[in-house]
Amino acid sequence: MPFVRIDALGTDADRLEALGRAVHDALVETIGIPADDRFQVLTGHDGVNSTLRYEDYLGIHRDEDVVFVAITLRSGRTPERKQALYRRIAELAQEYAGTEPRNVLVTLTENETIDWSFGNGVAQYAVS
């Protein structure tokens, strides 16, 4: 049920796939989503026709390997689970894609069950 968007600067298809696997595996491990629940948009930016803007913020220096991860998911996770998710995404992004943890920016947007339709014009999670 999470919907993931990953934007990476100066990347190729292999790195995008590795980043997608990193985020998915972290979601499975830390918040328990089903392994087959994978909905992702993976976008590489070449820095010319499309790019990402970033600065050093909160004492974290980012460089051209920056990755933005936006996750939309149903509400209800504890702060501890969210922290574990951020940590695991950063660890796996480094392991799978060689992306330094300082270059991984993650945002979570929470919503409710009625806010999802997985096809056929039906809100499958909505209680009848």
Side-chain angles (χ1 to χ4, degrees):
M1 105 356 265
F3 179 75
V4 176
R5 179 175 177 117
I6 299 172
D7 291 271
L9 188 58
T11 195
D12 59 21
D14 290 339
R15 181 169 179 242
L16 282 174
E17 177 58 29
L19 290 166
R21 280 188 301 112
V23 172
H24 182 72
D25 288 355
L27 285 163
V28 170
E29 290 177 25
T30 62
I31 65 170
I33 70 162
D36 65 346
D37 189 353
R38 186 173 181 176
F39 299 94
Q40 299 180 334
V41 176
L42 309 174
T43 306
H45 300 272
D46 64 10
V48 176
N49 296 308
S50 64
T51 194
L52 302 176
R53 298 283 185 242
Y54 56 92
E55 300 290 339
D56 293 351
Y57 183 65
L58 298 176
I60 302 168
H61 172 70
R62 292 166 191 82
D63 61 31
E64 65 278 354
D65 286 332
V66 69
V67 175
F68 295 164
V69 178
I71 303 171
T72 302
L73 71 168
R74 290 186 292 167
S75 62
R77 276 53 178 217
T78 65
E80 294 79 20
R81 285 190 135 190
K82 291 176 185 179
Q83 290 278 28
L85 175 63
Y86 304 145
R87 186 172 40 258
R88 193 64 178 143
I89 288 172
E91 291 168 354
L92 292 177
Q94 184 168 33
E95 180 180 334
Y96 294 0
T99 301
E100 294 182 39
R102 66 184 171 87
N103 278 321
V104 180
L105 184 144
V106 180
T107 63
L108 295 181
T109 302
E110 295 180 311
N111 60 19
E112 302 302 322
T113 55
I114 192 62
D115 299 318
W116 294 87
S117 173
F118 291 92
N120 296 323
V122 176
Q124 286 83 1
Y125 288 146
V127 178
S128 309

